[in-house]
Amino acid sequence: MSWNSYYRGDGRPRDVTLAPPPPWRRLGGLEPHRAFLPPAGLTDAVNAALYLHRPLLITGGAGTGKSTVIEQVAVELRLGPVLKWHVTSRSTLPEALCRYDALAHIHALRVSEARGAAPADIDAFLRLGPLGTALLPGRRPRALLIDEIDKSDIDLPADLLDVLENGTFEIPELVRHTRDTVHVRTWESTGTAEIEAGLVQCDAFPFIVMTSNGERDFPAPFLRRCIRYDMPRPDAPALHRAVAAHLGLDGAPLAAEAAALVTEFADRIARGETLAVDQLLNAVRLVTDAGAPTGEQRRRLLDLMLRDLSGA
């Protein structure tokens, strides 16, 4: 099927068969952590964080693999599925620890009262957040990704200090509850955890990776509790290895067109442009496809996919 066999812009319905996705976009296919190649010094930073039971703060540009690090560590150390907290400017510490749907609970109580039934208990309206789930006691530590913490409200890093230092927190709604033991749903799971007297205390500090795009500074008390690592800008050899790994080439060299594209991409990064590795992967996939566009169309598409991320 040629490149122009999909959307043509003529408004006429047609049956088409889309090309299979590239390896890094296949559902249930090649996992990103298998193709991730740690840059120099990253394994030392990870091992220091693991040994000292401290969070790891990774700073770097978009698409440098910051969030993939914890996936690789969790697989290698058998820490289980990674818990993920994607931070925004509206994120708060309480929502990361435990969420209580008070409005739904009040509604359920009114319905129970109207029907003359037993009042709805609080269990069904509580759910541990990603950080709260990571702090549950267990035989092995959990892995938690706190993604893009530099996008948080200015107070959130300071709010985290006590929890990260002590590995414990209270659930206010359960501290005042008449029952000593309550089962609360956990994050990204249908399972529940047994909470005693509203207190959660970890047996082992979770392995926490926090990522930052370097868009803001953090307070010194927060930074001193972290192991910090800055992702280097990838050079041409590193990009060649990364692309080959994602394409599953098993040591085989890249095609000439792909190799030239990688070199040009590395030069642009060296000149200070903001580009992500997944942009390069998309472009390489395009130029190496058997039915890839040529000439002016190829140039337009590469310009479209390799736009500097610092612009609009």
Side-chain angles (χ1 to χ4, degrees), residues 16-99:
V16 299
T17 301
L18 296 178
W24 56 91
R25 291 288 296 160
R26 290 175 189 163
L27 298 175
L30 183 68
E31 299 97 332
H33 65 266
R34 296 190 182 277
F36 179 69
L37 301 172
L42 178 57
T43 55
D44 287 336
V46 168
N47 286 328
L50 289 165
Y51 182 78
L52 298 171
H53 298 264
R54 289 291 189 183
L56 175 62
L57 175 62
I58 302 179
T59 302
T64 53
K66 300 187 300 296
S67 59
T68 309
V69 175
I70 193 168
E71 298 282 355
Q72 195 172 65
V73 174
V75 169
E76 288 193 19
L77 303 186
R78 295 179 176 173
L79 300 181
V82 175
L83 297 161
K84 298 177 182 178
W85 179 20
H86 299 287
V87 175
T88 70
S89 60
R90 300 179 299 278
S91 298
T92 63
L93 178 60
E95 75 170 21
L97 294 173
C98 188
R99 305 177 185 195

Side-chain angles (χ1 to χ4, degrees), residues 279-291:
Q279 291 176 279
L280 175 60
L281 292 172
N282 292 335
V284 168
R285 168 73 172 189
L286 177 69
V287 301
T288 57
D289 188 81

Side-chain angles (χ1 to χ4, degrees), residues 257-309:
E257 278 192 299
L261 195 60
V262 171
T263 301
E264 179 186 350
F265 188 88
D267 290 341
R268 290 179 60 182
I269 289 178
R271 293 197 298 268
E273 293 190 49
T274 304
L275 297 165
V277 174
D278 54 351
Q279 291 176 279
L280 175 60
L281 292 172
N282 292 335
V284 168
R285 168 73 172 189
L286 177 69
V287 301
T288 57
D289 188 81
T294 58
E296 181 64 18
Q297 187 182 38
R298 176 183 183 275
R299 186 195 64 78
R300 288 198 309 268
L301 286 165
L302 288 178
D303 288 344
L304 183 69
M305 288 184 289
L306 298 175
R307 293 180 62 179
D308 191 318
L309 298 176

